[in-house]
Amino acid sequence: MGITNKEYFLLFVMAYLLVGALTPLMRKIAIITDVIDRPNASHKSHKKPVPYLGGVAIIIGVITISYSTSLVSNFTTNTFWLATSVLGPALLLGLIGLWDDLKNLKPLPRFIAQSIAGIFTAGVLIGTNNVGNPTGSIIFDSVITVIWVVGICNSINFFDNLDGGAAGTVAIASIALVFLALNGDQYLIAALATVTAGATLGFLVWNKSPAKIYMGDAGALFLGVLIAILTLRLRTNVEIQLISYLVPIYLVAIPILDTCIVVTSRIYKNISPFQGGQDHISHRLIKLGFSRKRTAYILWALSGFFSGIAFLFVIVSKNNEIFIASVSGIFWVVLFIFFFRITVY
């Protein structure tokens, strides 16, 4: 059963207001408990200490609005478990991220937790026949699902290195995901994406430059898994199967671009990809002379461009799909070359 436009709007507003109200509260708690991101390492680009725990506000907001809504509107056991299959792994990684914010975990425990979330998601999606764009092979679908969950989880976490950068990008991807899901009559995905968009924009009020609070690994890992699972479940009305796989990729094309540039450049310079550094797209734009605020605008604009292309794929003809995919793919490669060539080391 579908949801009316008014109900979607209410979901968005409730998530926006709740997270917007929770974030300054979590900021106070972070200051009292000394959960602070201090610029005491070479890869830190901010100048003053900034509280963490913004991710906790996002997690509470998304979980609360999603489940409370399901309880009061057309609640069924099936709907509850469908929501849990998405929110459960995201919550697990959010808690691991919170642990990391508090205790500074090594990469291995985080990778293990991400892999468990990926394996669980693969089992649920394949077992319930809910893979949005299946390849026809259970093995391939399983491998792709695990790699996608782990990869996007890390990409969003990597991308969270600039005031408002990750929050704004996830909000844009979520909004695009709402329209894509509605186009395919996938109301649960649309509803969860609407809540995610409202929550991230509510947090962005406090996270935009100059940031008063960071989401930390708790928020980045939670949002990364959430977006990864929602895009995996998304069925797209695309005529060419190969291009249907591009739709979820384009929704997070800029975080993926950032990860590819960082990992490639660090390997090229014989630097560990797992250590921090000021070599992300945001740092390269700032190196060119852009302010932190304008850099965020550029990242949002690029994310909006590729999210818009993702939506174009489902409304244009077969021939136009090929043309748009070719041109936008070349543009992504050009961006990779352009940013990679900016000297940051």
Side-chain angles (χ1 to χ4, degrees):
M1 186 174 182
I3 303 175
T4 66
N5 291 335
K6 180 181 179 180
E7 289 172 327
Y8 280 117
F9 179 72
L10 287 174
L11 280 176
F12 176 86
V13 171
M14 287 189 297
Y16 177 87
L17 293 176
L18 179 57
V19 175
L22 285 173
T23 301
L25 175 61
M26 296 311 304
R27 182 177 186 274
K28 291 180 179 179
I29 294 174
I31 293 173
I32 292 172
T33 57
D34 197 37
V35 185
I36 307 292
D37 184 7
R38 293 182 172 83
N40 53 6
S42 60
H43 68 276
K44 303 286 186 180
S45 60
H46 56 289
K47 305 301 181 184
K48 298 180 180 180
V50 179
Y52 275 138
L53 299 187
V56 176
I58 295 173
I59 293 170
I60 294 174
V62 171
I63 296 291
T64 301
I65 297 298
S66 299
Y67 279 119
S68 61
T69 301
S70 69
L71 287 173
V72 300
S73 177
N74 303 318
F75 174 76
T76 64
T77 303
N78 186 51
T79 302
F80 173 82
W81 286 114
L82 281 174
T84 302
S85 68
V86 177
L87 296 173
L91 177 59
L92 169 65
L93 264 296
L95 293 175
I96 294 294
L98 177 59
W99 188 9
D100 190 19
D101 292 333
L102 298 174
K103 300 297 183 181
N104 195 21
L105 293 177
K106 298 291 185 181
L108 183 59
R110 287 182 295 174
F111 177 74
I112 292 173
Q114 292 162 4
S115 299
I116 291 173
I119 293 169
F120 172 80
T121 300
V124 171
L125 294 185
I126 294 171
T128 59
N129 195 30
N130 273 310
V131 177
N133 295 291
T135 63
S137 168
I138 293 178
I139 295 177
F140 282 167
D141 287 344
S142 301
V143 172
I144 290 171
T145 298
V146 175
I147 292 175
W148 181 255
V149 170
V150 174
I152 297 307
C153 187
N154 281 293
S155 285
I156 299 300
N157 196 25
F158 265 42
F159 198 65
D160 185 31
N161 55 70
L162 175 75
D163 299 353
T169 296
V170 171
I172 291 168
S174 299
I175 292 169
L177 189 55
V178 172
F179 289 103
L180 287 165
L182 289 175
N183 182 265
D185 296 330
Q186 292 181 277
Y187 303 113
L188 176 64
I189 293 177
L192 289 173
T194 299
V195 173
T196 304
T200 47
L201 289 176
F203 170 72
L204 187 60
V205 172
W206 303 92
N207 182 239
K208 64 184 180 181
S209 184
K212 296 178 177 62
I213 187 171
Y214 289 156
M215 70 170 70
D217 284 355
L221 295 181
F222 175 82
L223 292 173
V225 175
L226 190 57
I227 289 295
I229 296 177
L230 290 176
T231 51
L232 281 169
R233 297 180 70 103
L234 180 68
R235 293 190 303 271
T236 55
N237 298 321
V238 177
E239 294 188 48
I240 303 174
Q241 185 175 14
L242 181 61
I243 292 181
S244 71
Y245 301 136
L246 291 180
V247 173
I249 293 174
Y250 273 39
L251 291 175
V252 284
I254 300 306
I256 290 175
L257 175 66
D258 180 66
T259 301
C260 290
I261 289 172
V262 169
V263 171
T264 304
S265 61
R266 289 180 187 176
I267 292 175
Y268 181 74
K269 293 290 184 178
N270 293 318
I271 300 173
S272 171
F274 300 106
Q275 74 178 53
Q278 295 192 34
D279 51 0
H280 294 269
I281 293 177
S282 60
H283 302 125
R284 295 167 193 262
L285 285 169
I286 292 172
K287 195 82 171 180
L288 292 178
F290 292 100
S291 66
R292 296 175 72 86
K293 185 176 293 186
R294 289 186 179 275
T295 295
Y297 292 158
I298 293 171
L299 295 178
W300 297 344
L302 290 172
S303 297
F305 171 79
F306 282 102
S307 292
I309 294 296
F311 187 72
L312 275 182
F313 283 140
V314 305
I315 61 176
V316 300
S317 64
K318 182 176 181 179
N319 290 335
N320 286 331
E321 285 178 15
I322 298 173
F323 174 75
I324 293 172
S326 300
V327 173
S328 58
I330 292 172
F331 179 56
W332 190 93
V333 174
V334 169
L335 286 175
F336 178 91
I337 296 171
F338 172 74
F339 286 118
F340 185 82
R341 290 173 62 88
I342 298 174
T343 302
V344 290
Y345 295 105

